Structure formats: C-alpha cells, structure tokens
Amino acid sequence: EAQVTQNPRYLITVTGKKLTVTCSQNMNHEYMSWYRQDPGLGLRQIYYSMNVEVTDKGDVPEGYKVSRKEKRNFPLILESPSPNQTSLYFCASSLSWGPSEQYFGPGTRLTVT
Amino acid sequence: GENVEQHPSTLSVQEGDSAVIKCTYSDSASNYFPWYKQELGKGPQLIIDIRSNVGEKKDQRIAVTLNKTAKHFSLHITETQPEDSAVYFCAAGYGQNFVFGPGTRLSVLP
C-alpha cells in the first residue's frame, strides 16, 4: 500500500530533550516536506527536500533540523524542544516539485512541557 | 510572500444542500491552487486542484473556480452528504511552494 508513515504518533517530552520524528514514504517520491498545524493557522511549512541531500527552509524553520540521506526517509529533529513547539506535525511527499498531489502522513502530536 | 485567507471558518449545511468555501491570495505569481480535506485524526487529502490556465474544474459533486484577476478561488460541494463533514484547506502557490489557508470546518447536518 502506498503510504507515508510517521513515528511516533504521540509524544510528550520536556523542554530541552532532543527528539526525532521519523517519516518514511514507499512511493519513490522525490519531494518531501514537514508541516506543523496549529489551531486557526492552517498548515505551515517547516522544511522541505527536493531530493536526496537537498533541503531548504520553509516558512517556520526556527528550532528544527532535517536531513535527507535516503530518498524514502526525511526525519525531523528538534535539538532543544521548547513549549512553543507543541503542535501537530505532518510529513508529506509528492512525486516531484512540480504541481502535483501531496500525500500526507497520519500526523504526530507533540507536547513539550 | 504569499498570504491566503479563507472564509468562512465554520460552515453548517443541511444534507443535500450546497456548500461554498472562498479563498483569496496575494501573490500574482501563484499558479497552483489545491484543496485538501482533513478528516478527524487523519492527514489532509487532496480532493481537487486547479492551475492558473483553467477557470473552472469539476469532479462529480466537487467543483473549483478561479478568478486570477481578482485573486480568489472557491470550492463548491453540491448535494452534501454527512461524509463531507471535515476541515477543508485551500492553498495557493507554485510548484510545491504553496501556502495553506487557515481552514474551514464543514458540518453536514442530517
């Protein structure tokens, strides 16, 4: 089944404790992206990657890191999480950067206390 | 940068009625306008999209219209059904570089 998977689905952590949210797609998509979703703000892009070893900042990159060492994986790293990073996070992938459908993962709900 | 506004933020309709959600965008360079549906506990899913060289696109009960001059586009759902209840997001941009609107929560009442 073609899908985007994220782990963990739920995470409660404390301020300053490094964490990684994994994202994997099995569709051989070139483009991958991370979003955060907050009430009343819609989805805001954090980082994106157009291919292996090619990443760039989105609209809200502060406090986040990403890497794209393999085509299928695009982990999101929070080196020192803070409470304002409490949010619902989505990973997405698409065939290419050109206008096309983005496939979203199921989401990761992160709480930082 | 691009800014996308979406109205209304909530919408309740009777089953069988039509629903219309409107979005405006600011960047005249935007040429791709997707609409995503998000059901509770799930990630958004594309339901329809339109490109700037097209004024209208229809897929069964769903249609999208685009007015590039006025920089607005709309989603129309006819003959609404309870399974249409969800949050709908519009987006505007080019390539995969697009900005989402804040969302509209649609409730279809039986």
Side-chain angles (χ1 to χ4, degrees), chain A residues 37 90 94 97-100 102, chain B residues 36 38 43-44 51 89 95-96 98:
Chain A
Q37 183 177 25
F90 288 100
S94 65
W97 187 83
S100 59
Q102 281 203 48
Chain B
Y36 283 81
Q38 185 178 24
R51 304 186 189 192
F89 293 98
Q96 295 294 341
F98 47 76

Side-chain angles (χ1 to χ4, degrees), chain B:
Chain B
E2 178 64 273
N3 181 51
V4 178
E5 296 185 357
Q6 184 173 346
H7 298 280
S9 56
T10 60
L11 178 60
S12 293
V13 299
Q14 291 294 136
E15 183 177 354
D17 287 350
S18 295
V20 180
I21 303 170
K22 298 182 179 181
C23 289
T24 61
Y25 62 99
S26 60
D27 189 349
S28 55
S30 291
N31 60 9
Y32 179 57
F33 307 91
W35 285 88
Y36 283 81
K37 175 184 181 182
Q38 185 178 24
E39 297 176 340
L40 196 62
K42 297 184 178 180
Q45 186 172 14
L46 181 75
I47 54 171
I48 196 167
D49 58 9
I50 193 168
R51 304 186 189 192
S52 61
N53 58 347
V54 176
E56 184 174 357
K57 183 176 179 181
K58 191 173 181 180
D59 183 4
Q60 299 182 347
R61 297 185 297 109
I62 295 173
V64 57
T65 59
L66 171 65
N67 184 327
K68 284 220 76 180
T69 303
K71 296 200 191 100
H72 64 70
F73 55 113
S74 301
L75 177 71
H76 304 252
I77 305 174
T78 59
E79 301 172 18
T80 53
Q81 300 166 3
E83 52 264 38
D84 294 329
S85 295
V87 178
Y88 291 81
F89 293 98
C90 63
Y94 49 90
Q96 295 294 341
N97 186 21
F98 47 76
V99 173
F100 283 86
T104 295
R105 182 174 298 279
L106 173 64
S107 299
V108 179
L109 309 173

Side-chain angles (χ1 to χ4, degrees), chain A residues 32-34 45-48 56-58 61 64-66 74:
Chain A
M32 297 186 74
S33 183
W34 275 103
Q45 191 177 55
I46 303 170
Y47 268 94
Y48 64 92
D56 208 347
K57 296 177 181 178
Y64 305 94
K65 285 176 57 176
V66 293
F74 190 45

Side-chain angles (χ1 to χ4, degrees), chain A:
Chain A
E1 180 191 355
Q3 61 182 348
V4 177
T5 56
Q6 294 178 227
N7 282 292
R9 294 290 311 279
Y10 302 91
L11 179 59
I12 301 173
T13 189
V14 296
T15 299
K17 186 176 181 182
K18 181 179 178 179
L19 66 92
T20 299
V21 183
T22 64
C23 172
S24 183
Q25 50 91 7
N26 62 0
M27 297 169 279
N28 201 36
H29 284 172
E30 286 187 352
Y31 182 91
M32 297 186 74
S33 183
W34 275 103
Y35 295 88
R36 61 177 288 173
Q37 183 177 25
D38 301 291
L41 296 177
L43 293 134
R44 294 181 292 167
Q45 191 177 55
I46 303 170
Y47 268 94
Y48 64 92
S49 169
M50 289 199 274
N51 214 323
V52 175
E53 303 291 4
V54 181
T55 63
D56 208 347
K57 296 177 181 178
D59 297 320
V60 288
E62 294 77 19
Y64 305 94
K65 285 176 57 176
V66 293
S67 68
R68 186 95 181 270
K69 292 184 171 54
E70 303 167 284
K71 198 171 187 179
R72 63 183 293 129
N73 297 323
F74 190 45
L76 179 70
I77 303 156
L78 284 72
E79 298 247 340
S80 183
S82 62
N84 64 11
Q85 292 178 299
T86 292
S87 187
L88 180 59
Y89 291 86
F90 288 100
C91 179
S93 73
S94 65
L95 191 59
S96 68
W97 187 83
S100 59
E101 179 174 2
Q102 281 203 48
Y103 294 82
F104 283 82
T108 295
R109 186 165 292 282
L110 171 66
T111 302
V112 183
T113 61

